[in-house]
Amino acid sequence: MYSIVNKVEGNMVDIRLLRLFIAIYEEKNLTLAAEKCHITQPSISAALKQLEELLGNDLFLRDKKGVQPLNSAHELYPHAKRLVNDSATISTLFMSKATTPKISVGVCNSISKYKTATTLSHLERLAPNCHFILTSSDKSDCRIGFEKDKNDTDLFIPLWEEKFVFVTKENISAPSKIEDFYHLDFIECPSCEVHQEVLGLISSKNIALNIVSTAETKEQAFLLALAGLGSCFLPMGLVEKVSDINVFDINLPIRGRSVGLCMPSHQAINPVLKKIRSDAKLISIENF
């Protein structure tokens, strides 16, 4: 025989009808069930009739004392409870996701991954249960980047200072003056801001660099240096904790980079960023 449960699963039964059925089943009385569901008795009687017609089965025996569940009601009850509970769980799940605060954080290339991770950890502690979205887009709510790239109206919270270092596979002593770079094979990286500074310093000494390879980005320059295809100047964050290449501090008048948390001024009303701004000292440069 085709069971009552099969009929429920085979028809798109309104969850509301199942809720009313559960109330009737548990109260054994239409008046009490109607009061429990905050509707009138005629309304709950009409809903019960609709459910019985949809399933093609009587569910209750009516008598002067109230209603008595038939076998079909006993069969339906546990499944109706499960479906109603599942429905409530789904609603709660999506309501929770819809109300979870979100913040997008842009992360610039070639900065320290370890200090960036530490910064994100600090942000998470300031904004627990927040949904973080990492992106390389400048259209993010805020970004971890360089002070020199911020707009005039941007807010900037300093995080750390990042120096440039000399990176090479060659077995040399630590260079201490411009002349020490003479005869070394160099990687050309026009997009690197320090590249032009070094060219200016070296050309002032009438020294010609021996360019043996070219990279479009600092990350690519690092790969070439790691492969032994030349030497270059790179930000320390790009080569930190790398053991199979020589990294030297440089005694040259080369500027480092100030890294910080940058946010457009119009984002100051974002409650998550407002909290971060008020506790900015917890993610400041002193933590590094």
Side-chain angles (χ1 to χ4, degrees):
M1 181 179 179
Y2 199 56
S3 73
I4 192 74
V5 175
N6 294 136
K7 292 179 181 180
V8 170
E9 294 178 347
N11 293 276
M12 296 296 290
V13 177
D14 191 338
I15 290 294
R16 174 179 171 274
L17 294 180
L18 294 180
R19 289 196 184 99
L20 297 178
F21 160 76
I22 291 170
I24 298 170
Y25 183 92
E26 292 176 346
E27 297 297 332
K28 308 293 191 296
N29 184 286
L30 290 175
T31 301
L32 294 178
E35 292 176 356
K36 184 177 183 179
C37 297
H38 307 289
I39 62 174
T40 63
Q41 181 175 329
S43 295
I44 202 167
S45 296
L48 176 58
K49 182 178 179 181
Q50 180 183 351
L51 181 61
E52 288 177 328
E53 289 178 351
L54 181 63
L55 300 179
N57 286 84
D58 289 336
L59 296 170
F60 296 95
L61 177 66
R62 281 79 165 171
D63 58 28
K64 293 181 180 180
K65 295 182 180 180
V67 293
Q68 301 302 319
L70 298 173
N71 288 337
S72 56
H74 290 309
E75 181 184 1
L76 176 60
Y77 177 73
H79 297 281
K81 288 283 285 186
R82 176 179 58 80
L83 290 171
V84 170
N85 289 338
D86 287 348
S87 173
T89 299
I90 292 172
S91 299
T92 301
L93 172 65
F94 283 94
M95 286 178 61
S96 174
K97 288 186 176 181
T99 56
T100 299
K102 296 181 180 180
I103 179 172
S104 57
V105 183
V107 179
C108 294
N109 294 326
S110 76
I111 61 175
S112 169
K113 294 180 176 60
Y114 300 97
K115 290 181 180 179
T116 298
T118 301
T119 299
L120 292 173
S121 179
H122 286 320
L123 292 179
E124 193 279 332
R125 284 197 289 271
L126 291 176
N129 302 317
C130 183
H131 182 104
F132 283 88
I133 304 170
L134 288 190
T135 176
S136 58
S137 172
D138 290 336
K139 296 181 180 179
S140 54
D141 297 324
C142 62
R143 65 184 182 277
I144 301 172
F146 311 117
E147 185 175 18
K148 68 179 183 63
D149 294 332
K150 76 179 186 67
N151 297 321
D152 293 338
T153 58
D154 286 348
L155 304 172
F156 186 81
I157 302 173
L159 295 175
W160 71 87
E161 294 293 323
E162 190 162 76
K163 65 182 180 180
F164 277 78
V165 292
F166 181 64
V167 179
T168 183
K169 273 278 193 176
E170 296 191 41
N171 186 20
I172 62 171
S173 301
S176 59
K177 55 187 183 299
I178 288 291
E179 290 76 12
D180 292 337
F181 297 104
Y182 188 52
H183 294 312
L184 292 178
D185 294 335
F186 269 86
I187 299 166
E188 181 182 36
C189 184
S191 66
C192 177
E193 59 272 32
V194 166
H195 179 76
Q196 298 302 326
E197 290 188 48
V198 173
L199 284 181
L201 289 172
I202 292 179
S203 62
S204 68
K205 299 290 185 177
N206 294 318
I207 299 174
L209 283 180
N210 184 31
I211 304 297
V212 296
S213 57
T214 301
E216 291 184 353
T217 67
K218 298 180 185 70
E219 291 80 6
Q220 292 171 352
F222 171 63
L223 291 177
L224 288 171
L226 194 61
L229 299 177
S231 306
C232 58
F233 297 92
L234 291 174
M236 183 62 194
L238 195 59
V239 298
E240 61 187 345
K241 300 189 179 182
V242 178
S243 59
D244 50 352
I245 196 169
N246 297 316
V247 178
F248 298 105
D249 287 330
I250 48 179
N251 186 27
L252 296 176
I254 295 175
R255 295 172 296 173
R257 306 186 297 182
S258 179
V259 181
L261 184 67
C262 186
M263 63 186 79
S265 56
H266 71 268
Q267 288 289 359
I269 60 174
N270 182 310
V272 177
L273 294 180
K274 189 174 182 180
K275 168 67 174 173
I276 291 172
R277 284 184 61 202
S278 65
D279 294 328
K281 62 182 180 180
L282 297 180
I283 58 169
S284 69
I285 193 170
E286 296 176 358
N287 290 292
F288 303 102

